[in-house]
Amino acid sequence: MDSLPATGQADSPAATQADDTPRDHAAHAPEHPARLPGFHRLALTERLQLLRSRGLLTQADHRALTSGAQRLEPAQADKMIENVIGVMGLPVGLGLNFLINGKDYVVPLVVEEPSIVAALSAAAKLVRGCGGFTTASDRPLLIGQVQLTGLAHSGRARTALLQRREEIINLANSLHPNMVARGGGVVDVEVLIHAAPDGGPDMVVLHLLVDTCDAMGANLVNTMCEGVAPLAETITGGKACLRILSNLTDRALVRASAVIPAHALAGKGHDGGQVRDGIILANDLALVDPYRAATHNKGVMNGVDAVALATGNDWRALEAAVHAYAARGQGYRALTRWSRNAQGDLVGSIELPLKVGTVGGSLQANPMVAINHRLLGSPGARELAEVMAAVGLAQNFSALRALVTDGIQQGHMTLHARSVAMAAGATPPMFEQVVERLLADGEIKLWKAQLIVAELGGQAAGQAAGGQPRAGTQEWAAGHGKVILLGEHAVVYGRHAIAAPLPLAIRARVEDARDGTTLLIPRWGIEQRLQQQPARPGSFLQSLTLLLERLGLDRRALRIQVAPEMPRAMGLGGSAALAAAVIRALDRHCALGLDEASVCALAFECEKIAHGTPSGIDNTVATHGQALLYRRGEPATIRPLALKQPLPLVIGLSGSESLTARMVARVRQAWLQHPAHYERIFDEIDVLTRHALDALEAHDLGELGELMNICQGQLNALQVSSREIEELVQLAREHGAAGAKLTGGGGGGAVIALCPDGGARVARAMRDAGYQALEVSFG
């Protein structure tokens, strides 16, 4: 399987397909439609909401995907083929980051093999940074064949057919005048003579070269062949036998290329020049060895076929054409060429026959195909073929790079574990834990997964009966997520804020390793090894490097495994919770003797890396796990809060990442320009926060809700709200919430809704609108 691992070290696609390090907040918003940072780490509903917010899905398409209305129904399938008994589904994923001829693409992919989507996104991201893919294509023509036998003289028959070329073309085009009106139709004919394999009379084959425009055109060409066959018999005096198109579409060649500087290939401890030369050598073998070429080209088609399926094209015809084209000449060989230019760059190119369509029956028959075409930007057939060629080259690059660095298998581990966990019958509540246990044990086998499922099932039954979890869970250290009831952003400027821990945490544990320190977060698809070169600014790898240096562990090989129970990049304190959990796990495993103050201080240093100028509230809640009134200072003012009754909340997730660092920077810039205005807003938020403290301690939820609503207006004035946030706030208020506002940095992320009468109605309304919602309480 020539496909790149979806996990591995820092350059693995799951780590780099959108955003190569685990962070609670992205540092920058995507600059291009094809760039969706953190997309693979979002929940399914969050991905759909993000696509809708970026204009990549229409409201109707978003509604269809959310409700499942895009699925092909058995009644529809029954009209497509014979003897229908049901419908089989396949995953639809998105290849991100593609820049082709200067244009952005989000590429829908239908594929069941793990790692292909991640591999393509990672490769596209790297090539994007080097200028993107360049493509070109011939005018795409289909060949229709009319086989003529029983001829007295094959040469004369050939001459006679060519002499009446215009008559043959006109007859064929008269059968499809609408195609001619659209600029297509038969554009030429050619005649070939083939010797019979048994030594009998020669065969003459008439080729119709047909431009089918944006249609795949198989039925159209077959009709033309049938229509001109009698005329060909009259002209030659022979007998027409086969009258059918050819799937060897070598008159529809498509080319794609990319230039990658050697330095961009460095990583995983490998020199860029070595990686470049290894890719070239691997390709050289596929040019001369058919055994290698078959696997090499299968890797190319991993990408091409996935786009073909997504767009309703005949992937079987594409496979036949591509492999026949690869076998032309003296033997079967690679479809790609990788070489080195005078500047030392890696240069890749691909040429392959791709005759595809963007109009026709499949678009009308399968609703998901129509959505996928719209995701691509509704390209014409020729443009779609060029996208496919770029995808094929990207997939080939990813596979070769993996083969010449760490190998294919290593990065399949996490995705393979997920497949095994599913096969073992892991239920949704235990699924991620089964995956984590498989990876931790290093034995990803079905029998092992079944044992873990049985064990966890027993634990769940025991806990339901009042028992306790079995031994083993105590080895995990935890950091708490948080919500801010009131005071975000103003707290950065010395005002008060009220924060509370979530009943959701991030857990971590540490083990000794053999070679190097690795960060493993299976639930987010991350498996990254600390490397010698500096980590990306603002990333948790940079924070982890700092922690290991401060704690004197930078020369020790460790395996740091993280199990998040909360969504990331949603303004719920995930980066601080991650830091606190890892610090505690390091302390526990390495017997460092850290107290709570030291854990909090180190987590604050990590928050500085993640957010620039944090207030300190996130790391404080993450460490202590207690509701509190907070005011920054030297030292900070921290007042623990004891609530009379639990506070019922619904957390609505917008589906867009909470860009805390960016929002904090935006507010600071506005404050620098208009200090008096913004100081007044901060003061007003501070007054609301102190009144909210009184309402909270009196358990006056009506008053607290009203204060939250007013605070949301102030946060909107700070320009940190968003369309999704406002929609969630409105949904919450309309369905019974006493108050609702954003929580955290804003710009996306999450909303909290105070629901004195219970949050079921509010949560249901949010979910019906396509958002994710969690009912929680604290106190």
Side-chain angles (χ1 to χ4, degrees), residues 156-339:
R156 291 174 185 168
R158 177 180 183 276
T159 300
L161 288 169
L162 292 175
Q163 286 175 342
R164 299 178 67 174
R165 170 183 173 276
E166 293 299 329
E167 187 178 350
I168 294 170
I169 292 174
N170 290 337
L171 174 59
N173 284 337
S174 69
L175 301 172
H176 287 283
N178 291 336
M179 180 61 65
V180 177
R182 292 196 295 270
V186 178
V187 299
D188 204 354
V189 300
E190 60 186 18
V191 183
L192 306 180
I193 298 175
H194 295 291
D198 59 0
D202 291 342
M203 295 175 283
V204 172
V205 181
L206 171 67
H207 282 187
L208 304 179
L209 307 184
V210 188
D211 182 350
T212 62
C213 298
D214 285 333
M216 284 184 279
N219 293 332
L220 180 151
V221 172
N222 290 341
T223 300
M224 288 181 165
C225 290
E226 294 281 356
V228 302
L231 176 59
E233 288 178 328
T234 299
I235 293 172
T236 63
K239 175 67 176 176
C241 186
L242 295 181
R243 289 154 285 188
I244 191 170
L245 86 160
S246 168
N247 284 126
L248 177 52
T249 54
D250 58 1
R251 309 304 170 88
L253 293 179
V254 186
R255 290 163 287 278
S257 62
V259 179
I260 306 172
H263 66 79
L265 299 169
K268 304 182 183 181
H270 297 280
D271 174 75
Q274 293 175 337
V275 176
R276 174 200 61 209
D277 295 343
I279 289 173
I280 294 170
L281 284 172
N283 191 87
D284 286 347
L285 178 61
L287 290 172
V288 297
D289 181 359
Y291 293 95
R292 173 62 203 144
T295 309
H296 181 100
N297 290 343
K298 189 268 182 184
V300 170
M301 298 308 291
N302 278 342
V304 173
D305 286 344
V307 184
L309 279 165
T311 56
N313 278 280
D314 187 348
W315 61 272
R316 300 163 301 275
L318 295 179
E319 286 273 352
V322 164
H323 293 300
Y325 187 72
R328 72 196 187 283
Q330 299 301 312
Y332 185 87
R333 62 179 62 191
L335 294 161
T336 61
R337 300 290 188 276
W338 292 95
S339 60

Side-chain angles (χ1 to χ4, degrees), residues 25-27 610-612 658-666:
H25 307 290
H611 304 315
S658 178
L659 310 175
T660 298
R662 185 178 181 186
M663 292 298 102
V664 169
R666 174 186 291 179

Side-chain angles (χ1 to χ4, degrees), residues 434-615:
V434 174
V435 172
E436 290 156 7
R437 290 270 298 274
L438 287 172
L439 289 166
D441 293 342
E443 193 166 18
I444 305 176
K445 304 291 185 183
L446 180 60
W447 66 266
K448 183 72 173 179
Q450 289 169 336
L451 288 177
I452 296 171
V453 168
E455 178 186 339
L456 294 175
Q459 288 182 23
Q463 292 177 55
Q468 296 297 321
R470 295 185 183 180
T473 56
Q474 288 78 10
E475 63 183 287
W476 292 88
H480 299 274
K482 67 92 182 65
V483 292
I484 295 182
L485 293 179
L486 284 92
E488 46 268 278
H489 286 287
V491 71
V492 177
Y493 297 85
R495 274 65 168 191
H496 295 87
I498 300 173
L502 287 172
L504 305 172
I506 292 182
R507 299 178 297 124
R509 66 180 179 184
V510 175
E511 301 169 337
D512 288 322
R514 293 182 179 178
D515 55 343
T517 293
T518 300
L519 175 66
L520 178 67
I521 312 179
R523 201 164 298 186
W524 293 344
I526 291 168
E527 187 177 355
Q528 297 179 337
R529 183 177 300 166
L530 266 67
Q531 301 177 36
Q532 298 302 316
Q533 60 265 36
R536 189 162 62 87
S539 70
F540 185 70
L541 284 186
Q542 186 182 15
S543 297
L544 184 56
T545 301
L546 172 69
L547 290 176
L548 295 175
E549 290 175 353
R550 293 281 182 89
L551 297 173
L553 302 175
D554 49 321
R555 296 185 180 276
R556 187 165 173 177
L558 300 168
R559 176 185 173 90
I560 303 170
Q561 188 173 352
V562 176
E565 299 170 349
M566 54 187 290
R568 65 182 306 278
M570 286 291 122
L572 301 176
S575 64
L578 176 60
V582 169
I583 294 165
R584 283 189 167 127
L586 291 168
D587 174 48
R588 181 172 299 176
H589 180 71
C590 303
L592 302 174
L594 299 177
D595 58 18
E596 292 290 88
S598 299
V599 172
C600 189
L602 285 169
F604 184 58
E605 295 302 314
C606 296
E607 285 292 274
K608 289 180 181 178
I609 290 174
H611 304 315
T613 56
S615 67

Side-chain angles (χ1 to χ4, degrees), residues 693-771:
L693 178 63
D694 296 336
L696 190 63
E697 293 182 328
H699 200 69
D700 186 346
L701 301 190
E703 176 67 11
L704 179 59
E706 186 59 31
L707 293 168
M708 290 171 62
N709 290 332
I710 298 170
C711 187
Q712 174 62 24
Q714 300 289 3
L715 292 170
N716 204 340
L718 292 178
Q719 302 178 62
V720 296
S721 190
S722 68
R723 181 186 63 78
E724 295 84 5
I725 291 294
E726 295 299 326
E727 183 176 2
L728 281 165
V729 165
Q730 190 63 28
L731 282 168
R733 294 172 182 169
E734 288 175 352
H735 289 83
K741 58 178 285 293
L742 67 83
T743 182
V751 159
I752 52 171
L754 180 63
C755 304
D757 299 325
R761 283 185 60 210
V762 171
R764 188 182 311 113
M766 290 177 175
R767 294 184 188 118
D768 289 346
Y771 296 99

